[in-house]
Amino acid sequence: MSITLSEQDKLTLRTAAYGAISLLTAAGATDKPHKIATEGSIALSAATGLVGYVLAEKSEGAKVDGKSVAAVADQVLPALTAAMALLKRLDQAEAENFRSTVLVAVDAATRGLKGGPGPVLADIIRKITAALDAA
């Protein structure tokens, strides 16, 4: 099955995936935010399938910003749910690919933290997972 995504659909996927890493980076600002961002982004660049092609495209417009973790979460968590709903409607395998890609990136982003993710990042990871599973 060949899937055709609109530019808005692609933007939603990129906002969701890269936004999840931005959310972790914002929440982990007292840890190693640059390491979180770098490791997570590298993991996203290794995605395969349709998701990999979409994430590899120029990400203009996929901008997540906010002055607080709450503001970033308000953009990212709904985007994760919307991306999963979109992909589930089009192709269940790609939906699972997207979910797996995001969770691998989240794991990669937090793996290098001394002692693993603390309670704040663990809570954000739970929220990311719940948003992916809400669709």
Side-chain angles (χ1 to χ4, degrees), residues 11-99:
L11 181 62
T12 299
L13 295 180
R14 286 192 297 269
T15 298
Y18 285 103
I21 302 307
S22 295
L23 181 56
L24 286 172
T25 302
T30 59
D31 286 314
K32 296 181 178 181
H34 295 309
K35 185 169 180 86
I36 292 169
T38 300
E39 295 298 326
S41 295
I42 288 170
L44 290 176
S45 72
T48 59
L50 174 68
V51 170
Y53 286 107
V54 170
L55 296 181
E57 289 180 12
K58 211 175 210 181
S59 59
E60 288 182 25
K63 191 173 186 180
V64 175
D65 55 3
K67 295 185 184 223
S68 68
V69 174
V72 174
D74 283 348
Q75 297 168 63
V76 173
L77 298 177
L80 287 164
T81 302
M84 284 298 293
L86 167 72
L87 290 172
K88 279 183 176 181
R89 206 171 51 245
L90 298 173
D91 184 334
Q92 183 64 36
E94 277 304 323
E96 287 304 315
N97 183 28
F98 180 79
R99 183 182 186 284

Side-chain angles (χ1 to χ4, degrees), residues 1-7 9-10 13 50 54 86-87 89-91:
M1 173 180 177
S2 177
I3 301 171
T4 303
L5 297 174
S6 70
E7 288 305 313
D9 294 341
K10 292 176 184 180
L13 295 180
L50 174 68
V54 170
L86 167 72
L87 290 172
R89 206 171 51 245
L90 298 173
D91 184 334

